[in-house]
Amino acid sequence: MDSEILYAVENGVGTVTFNRPQARNALTYAMYEGLAAICRDPAAHGDPRVIIVTGAGEKAFASGTDIAQFRAFSGAADALAYEERIEAVLDSIERCPVPTIAAVSGAVTGGGAFLALACDLRIASTTARFGFPIARTLGNCLSMANYARLYALLGPALVKDIVFTARLVEAQEGHRVGLYSELLPDHAALMRRAAELAETIAGHAPLTMRATKEAMRRLTAAAAKDVASDDLVTLCNTSEDFREGMEAFLAKRRPVWRGR
């Protein structure tokens, strides 16, 4: 396993840790694929009954895809291939035959937020901050499948609120609206509770877990079925604004939006 993603199994509980704290656990393709490989075949990865997903340190669960990787985009095919690649990772988490728990501290944004959403349960410390500040930073959009995930959990009004304003949802609000099932006072308490919760779930009927996971996946997937989004992804992710947002982000300056 790459050092940027750590994995260990103990007493039937697998723990995946995104391990780039110096970069706020920004996700490389290798990190995405490492998590996906475990979720696709947990039996080949220590055979855990439950998987905990978390980030190293307390500043971030995962702050999204490493922006430098977007520099390779040269057209619509690249943008759509990226969304397809990330969707395959999220689908592997949702189809994972064992329950998954996201233990969230600090920033949980962009691609990192969708990894947390794809997990079955999310618990958080009071430092958690969730959102998609793309209207302020990159000027891109989400895939239809990801809009559907947000829609199913938060409803359309809150989705538009957090995307339009580019604000991050603080932990208390996230708990109130059902984003997190539990809120813990600090990171240490969060990880203790994640271990306790995983132990409880690991002792329950695995087929009940698997059937319930799949039922929820099918219901959520139905919201995006036969709804095209390639035109929206192409509109945003191949635009001059997206290129400007990416370069401005990397240069740590404010982007100049032109709507084209």
Side-chain angles (χ1 to χ4, degrees), residues 82 98 105 140 187 206 211 217 227 233 235 250:
Y82 168 79
V98 303
S105 281
N140 60 335
H187 187 71
R217 187 198 66 79
V227 180
V233 172
L235 172 70
L250 294 171

Side-chain angles (χ1 to χ4, degrees), residues 32 82-84 86-87 90-91 94 110-111 113-115 117-118 130 132 141-154 159 163 220 224 229:
Y32 278 120
Y82 168 79
E83 294 295 350
E84 183 177 352
I86 300 306
E87 179 57 29
L90 299 176
D91 186 65
E94 291 172 337
F114 283 117
L115 291 183
L117 285 178
F130 173 96
F132 310 89
C141 70
L142 309 179
S143 69
M144 189 60 70
N146 280 331
Y147 280 124
R149 290 181 177 97
L150 281 172
Y151 179 94
L153 184 63
L154 301 178
V159 172
V163 174
T220 301
S229 65

Side-chain angles (χ1 to χ4, degrees), residues 26-47:
L27 296 157
T28 63
Y29 288 139
M31 294 165 72
Y32 278 120
E33 296 300 337
L35 174 60
I38 295 166
C39 289
R40 289 185 188 117
D41 192 2
H45 292 83
D47 202 20

Side-chain angles (χ1 to χ4, degrees), residues 43-86:
H45 292 83
D47 202 20
R49 297 284 293 271
V50 182
I51 296 172
I52 297 170
V53 183
T54 194
E58 302 182 22
K59 292 184 178 180
F61 171 83
S63 59
T65 303
D66 190 328
I67 301 302
Q69 296 184 134
F70 292 139
R71 278 182 158 163
F73 282 18
S74 61
D78 291 327
L80 296 174
Y82 168 79
E83 294 295 350
E84 183 177 352
R85 185 174 189 173
I86 300 306

Side-chain angles (χ1 to χ4, degrees), residues 12-13 49-52 101 193-203:
V13 177
R49 297 284 293 271
V50 182
I51 296 172
I52 297 170
I101 302 169
R193 178 55 185 151
E196 292 171 357
L197 187 59
E199 182 180 357
T200 296
I201 294 171

Side-chain angles (χ1 to χ4, degrees), residues 4 15 23 34 50 97 111 123-125 131 144-145 159 188 208 241 247 260:
E4 292 182 345
T15 301
V50 182
I123 61 175
S125 75
M144 189 60 70
V159 172
T208 299
D241 272 358
E247 297 300 335
R260 58 176 187 260

